[in-house]
Amino acid sequence: MSYATTNPYTGEVLKTFPNAADSEVTEALDKAHSAFLSWRNASFSTRSKIMQSAADILRRELEPYAKLLTIEMGKLFSEAKAEVQLSANIFEYYARKAEVLLAPEKLPVASPLEGEAELVLEPLGVLLAVEPWNFPYYQIARIIAPQLSAGNTILLKHASNVPQCAAAFEKLMRDAGLPDGAFKNLYATRSQIERILNDPRVQGVALTGSEEAGAVIAAEAAKALKKSTMELGGADAFVVLADVDLEKTVKWAVFGRHWNGGQVCVSSKRMIVVDEIYDQFIDRYSAGVAELRAGDPFDPKTTLAPLSSKGALDDIRSKIEQAVAHGATATEVGPKVPATGAFLQPTILTNVAEDNPARYWEFFGPVSMLFRAKDEEDAVRIANDSPYGLGGSVFTSNTQHGKEVARKISTGMVFVNHPTMVKADLPFGGVRRSGYGRELLGLGIREFVNHKLIDVVDINAAF
Ligand code: NAP
């Protein structure tokens, strides 16, 4: 593993970074723990000012922050600016709400003899965040805004292809006024990560990434008896019922599958369309995908970004080949993508049978799997026939009925008539192989706190 900025559009290696020295890890742990000992006592208003300041800086310096995203992982510049804005919104959300979300709760005990019982929520200590490259800032904001607001301190291990984004966020928090040591980025090796997890001062780990990384880190955390949350992959269903507005639905389908170069955990990766309108849908969807324009992610006319790296491109090409070897049909769509840069030709996979292992994979790029469902019940069956359970959507003109169908889809988030709403004030997380735990809102801020009971009992009460 080596930390480097390689522009996925040009293929140029722009900057490399040495791995952290062991002494740097030792110092980061010492400082994070000593910062925790005072930060846990900082008032909500002190913490809130720092979170608000981080939001203000991001908004003020939106373009330079966004530029780094586009350079390091190839995100369209317009999407990069939206990510910076979203990250700012998350900081602001917790600046405003943390105190209320962590307010002590009086317990409605059955008898006064049980005492005056209340739950108080206290920070746990130093946490480790392991984050992926696909939303380099948003993923960090999703964990540090709530956890710093709760009084925890954090060490970050970011993906090795976004080292400058990681450093930019460390600087952001310093500039926002966060005490030294409370948030530190480390270009850590695998063995250093294991060491951090085993340090007694570290109380938990939040990982966002692949199932493979999740399984390793969750196992290491379990062995060290540390709490973990896992935000892993997904293969979200995009269910299309017979009564849809086809034009608008197709527009959302094309967007839902291809924003961020198709590299979103909640991308609409499986289009499941009822028989009555399947043929019309696939024609229009193919035409919509063919209109995408691959190119320079800084060019406002570009609508399809390159993949994040050459390695990611090789990986997805190999997955397509394997899908075809097992009987699927792969149809390449649209004008030829540029030969330089990590571009994948948008591809539609059909005839992905139940005995084709690819049916159950996550394709992290512009590859759409299309399924013809006999009827609505069959569409729900196909949607739930997945090892993943992250997000998903249902398109229908009858929104009340859409809600009923949404209840039948077994994932952490389902949207009616939208591919996915990623917002500061909506929770995020999944079930099954998509992981466990939730981020954002009160659910996220309460993942790494001690839910402590304090009960004041009459000394004369019976046992
Ligand atoms: P990844 O390869 O699992 O990497 C994620 C992070 O884990 C990186 O920082 C990576 O570091 C680190 N890592 C990987 N193996 C590790 C190990 N054995 N020990 C310690 N750290 C390890 O995932 P990715 O390719 O960056 O991201 C794509 C995946 O993330 C997709 O499956 C996507 O669906 C999922 N994702 C999920 C969510 C969600 O909220 N549910 C959000 C975004 C993405 P290195 O870069 O150094 O390998």
Side-chain angles (χ1 to χ4, degrees):
M1 170 179 36
S2 56
Y3 290 86
T5 300
T6 306
N7 184 326
Y9 177 58
T10 61
E12 203 184 344
V13 180
L14 298 173
K15 216 167 175 184
T16 59
F17 297 79
N19 289 341
D22 287 343
S23 56
E24 223 180 297
V25 176
T26 305
E27 189 186 334
L29 280 162
D30 290 347
K31 280 189 164 177
H33 181 64
S34 92
F36 170 68
L37 297 179
S38 48
W39 183 243
R40 68 179 172 186
N41 298 320
S43 66
F44 278 109
S45 105
T46 300
R47 293 184 205 150
S48 163
K49 281 193 194 104
I50 294 168
M51 297 306 128
Q52 186 60 52
S53 170
D56 296 343
I57 295 169
L58 285 175
R59 287 177 184 146
R60 202 169 54 235
E61 298 174 27
L62 190 106
E63 295 224 346
Y65 272 96
K67 210 171 151 194
L68 218 42
L69 293 173
T70 303
I71 290 169
E72 287 209 301
M73 55 72 65
K75 195 181 290 275
L76 298 184
F77 193 49
S78 55
E79 292 180 346
K81 286 187 275 189
E83 180 176 340
V84 178
Q85 181 62 49
L86 174 62
S87 306
N89 294 350
I90 293 171
F91 281 110
E92 189 164 84
Y93 177 88
Y94 284 104
R96 291 182 179 170
K97 308 260 184 194
E99 185 165 11
V100 173
L101 295 172
L102 294 178
E105 183 192 338
K106 271 212 172 325
L107 298 179
V109 291
S111 148
L113 295 177
E114 288 175 44
E116 284 173 22
E118 70 173 3
L119 271 185
V120 295
L121 307 183
E122 296 178 348
L124 292 180
V126 183
L127 304 176
L128 172 66
V130 182
E131 300 301 331
W133 46 263
N134 64 341
F135 291 91
Y137 296 149
Y138 159 70
Q139 300 293 358
I140 308 180
R142 238 169 52 172
I143 189 74
I144 72 171
Q147 295 315 327
L148 291 172
S149 297
N152 293 308
T153 59
I154 296 165
L155 298 175
L156 170 70
K157 186 264 176 273
H158 213 329
S160 44
N161 57 335
V162 290
Q164 296 196 57
C165 290
F169 251 48
E170 187 182 283
K171 178 173 180 309
L172 168 72
M173 297 317 294
R174 205 167 40 241
D175 292 351
L178 192 70
D180 188 33
F183 173 61
K184 168 83 183 146
N185 166 52
L186 285 168
Y187 297 129
T189 63
R190 300 277 194 268
S191 62
Q192 287 169 341
I193 293 296
E194 198 172 352
R195 180 185 150 204
I196 291 169
L197 271 172
N198 279 288
D199 188 289
R201 295 164 295 183
V202 173
Q203 302 302 327
V205 56
L207 176 138
T208 299
S210 61
E211 286 170 87
E212 293 76 20
V216 171
I217 296 293
E220 286 174 1
K223 214 165 159 205
L225 293 178
K226 304 286 166 74
K227 159 110 191 213
S228 62
T229 56
M230 294 288 142
E231 296 287 349
L232 309 178
D236 287 4
F238 185 102
V239 172
V240 184
L241 301 184
D243 66 348
V244 290
D245 176 326
L246 203 53
E247 196 185 326
K248 289 180 183 160
T249 302
V250 166
K251 213 177 96 230
W252 279 125
V254 174
F255 171 81
R257 186 59 196 102
H258 296 90
W259 67 294
N260 211 41
Q263 308 161 108
V264 188
C265 49
V266 288
S267 292
S268 309
K269 297 179 185 123
R270 296 180 299 140
M271 314 284 161
I272 303 165
V273 187
V274 294
D275 182 51
E276 274 166 270
I277 53 160
Y278 179 88
D279 294 328
Q280 285 181 65
F281 181 90
I282 194 165
D283 285 351
R284 293 203 195 190
Y285 182 72
S286 305
V289 176
E291 281 172 21
L292 292 169
R293 288 293 166 270
D296 181 349
F298 277 110
D299 182 343
K301 290 196 287 300
T302 302
T303 48
L304 183 67
L307 296 188
S308 63
S309 68
K310 181 74 176 41
L313 180 61
D314 295 343
D315 181 52
I316 199 163
R317 278 190 178 141
S318 147
K319 280 182 161 170
I320 295 170
E321 278 168 23
Q322 291 176 64
V324 171
H326 284 93
T329 306
T331 309
E332 294 192 341
V333 183
K336 278 269 158 265
V337 295
T340 53
F343 287 100
L344 180 78
Q345 190 68 41
T347 302
I348 294 180
L349 288 178
T350 49
N351 302 316
V352 193
E354 283 179 11
D355 61 356
N356 187 333
R359 185 175 171 116
Y360 304 101
W361 293 343
E362 177 186 37
F363 285 83
F364 221 52
V367 176
S368 318
M369 277 199 258
L370 261 80
F371 297 96
R372 185 193 290 269
K374 285 199 278 286
D375 51 24
E376 178 185 305
E377 195 187 329
D378 195 37
V380 170
R381 181 190 66 78
I382 297 169
N384 288 337
D385 182 26
S386 169
Y388 298 107
L390 195 54
S393 48
V394 181
F395 280 75
T396 169
S397 295
N398 181 344
T399 50
Q400 189 52 38
H401 182 61
K403 268 168 71 176
E404 288 160 21
V405 176
R407 292 290 292 262
K408 295 180 188 166
I409 293 178
S410 166
T411 63
M413 306 163 272
V414 187
F415 298 87
V416 176
N417 291 336
H418 198 279
T420 180
M421 279 271 165
V422 179
K423 298 285 175 198
D425 52 4
L426 294 174
F428 205 99
V431 294
R432 296 196 302 285
R433 306 257 336 147
S434 293
Y436 50 83
R438 286 290 182 280
E439 288 190 339
L440 299 175
L441 296 191
L443 293 167
I445 202 172
R446 293 192 199 111
E447 286 282 5
F448 292 99
V449 290
N450 176 11
H451 298 247
K452 185 162 104 184
L453 168 68
I454 297 182
D455 192 7
V456 180
V457 184
D458 184 335
I459 200 164
N460 298 313
F463 183 66

